[in-house]
Amino acid sequence: MVFAPATEPRALIVDDEPSVSGLVTFALGKEGFVCDTADNAQDAAELLHRGGYDVVITDLAMPGRNGHSLIVEALDIPD
């Protein structure tokens, strides 16, 4: 029996502080995740609508739009 290779898990990291998103990206990358980053909730929402993320890690307090509203929108996106 031949198995197709498993795809790598994908994560979206959302934080307005580059040092934080860089640290989280580094840590998840060591665990096999392919990470995309966004520095605000609006850019993150656009990425989420394209789909394909297994996990989203977001800052809650960001200028313009908070992480809570981003997650509420993410939960409404159809699979």
Side-chain angles (χ1 to χ4, degrees):
M1 180 177 286
V2 177
F3 293 98
T7 59
E8 296 169 316
R10 292 186 62 216
L12 176 59
I13 314 305
V14 188
D15 201 301
D16 58 327
E17 294 187 33
S19 60
V20 173
S21 61
L23 181 63
V24 174
T25 298
F26 177 77
L28 287 177
K30 291 189 69 90
E31 297 299 322
F33 281 82
V34 173
C35 298
D36 291 329
T37 62
D39 61 5
N40 62 69
Q42 189 58 41
D43 290 347
E46 291 175 18
L47 291 170
L48 284 171
H49 282 279
R50 293 182 195 157
Y53 293 103
D54 300 297
V55 65
V56 177
I57 298 174
T58 185
D59 186 1
L60 291 178
M62 294 181 286
R65 184 175 171 197
N66 65 45
H68 181 265
S69 71
L70 173 66
I71 295 303
V72 169
E73 180 177 343
L75 291 171
D76 285 338
I77 298 172
D79 291 339

